[in-house]
Amino acid sequence: MDHVLMTERLILRPVTVHDHAVLLAHWTGADVRRFLFDGAVLSPAEVTEVIEDSMRDFDTGGHGVWLIRSKDDGDLIGAAGLRPLEELGLEVFYSLEPTAWGKGYATEAAGAVVEYALGPLGLPEVLAEVDKGNAASVAVVERLGMTPFAVVPGLLGPMTRYRRTP
């Protein structure tokens, strides 16, 4: 299985070592990392670790981090993926370039990941964890049919946990 996901406007392909510079630039942008990494700036070594973990996870479990590009022009839209949420299961996450905000790409990309997880991957559920102040991501997870099940403390304040089952 090659793990490439396609939507109407997007191509999601697993990240490789060749994507290091692109991911580092994307994930160190202040607006991008605000909620995804609670404002922390990832080091080049941390991005390398994420890529290596993702490659291993795709090999062993069929999931990891996908790079999102536009089908039209190949422009970077962002990244999306599945990662462990404590011991609860896998959560969907995404990050978009600020130029891609407000165009429905988050719902489209995250939706493709959720459908893949609940379909071909066979997960019993997909989780999401959203900072209370991240209204855009709350709207995305609600559009994906996810429902809240818990509120937990986070570095930026309360975080709501969501889930979706097949």
Side-chain angles (χ1 to χ4, degrees):
M1 185 181 291
D2 67 6
H3 308 294
V4 173
L5 307 178
M6 304 270 253
T7 70
E8 181 181 333
R9 302 178 295 164
L10 306 172
I11 298 171
L12 290 76
R13 67 158 179 78
V15 297
T16 70
V17 293
H18 304 293
D19 299 315
H20 188 275
V22 169
L23 275 178
L24 181 63
H26 173 64
W27 282 343
T28 55
D31 289 332
V32 172
R33 63 184 161 82
R34 178 174 163 212
F35 290 114
L36 186 61
F37 302 112
D38 294 327
V41 178
L42 293 185
S43 70
E46 288 170 315
V47 173
T48 296
E49 185 177 338
V50 169
I51 291 170
E52 289 172 352
D53 289 349
S54 176
M55 291 170 59
R56 183 195 64 245
D57 289 344
F58 271 112
D59 284 343
T60 61
H63 64 84
V65 180
W66 286 268
L67 201 63
I68 308 167
R69 292 203 178 269
S70 166
K71 272 187 180 176
D72 289 340
D73 54 21
D75 283 353
L76 177 69
I77 301 296
L82 292 167
R83 64 184 179 192
L85 178 60
E86 297 173 358
E87 293 81 35
L88 298 175
L90 294 179
E91 74 166 325
V92 63
F93 70 94
Y94 63 88
S95 57
L96 298 182
E97 283 292 300
T99 56
W101 293 358
K103 299 177 182 176
Y105 291 134
T107 302
E108 191 172 336
V113 171
V114 168
E115 293 305 320
Y116 168 79
L118 296 175
L121 202 55
L123 294 181
E125 69 179 359
V126 176
L127 307 171
E129 188 173 73
V130 182
D131 291 277
K132 183 177 180 180
N134 191 345
S137 285
V138 168
V140 168
V141 298
E142 288 176 351
R143 281 193 294 273
L144 295 177
M146 301 183 97
T147 55
F149 70 92
V151 176
V152 297
L155 291 177
L156 302 178
M159 300 184 72
T160 303
R161 289 183 171 169
Y162 295 82
R163 72 167 36 108
R164 179 169 154 201
T165 56

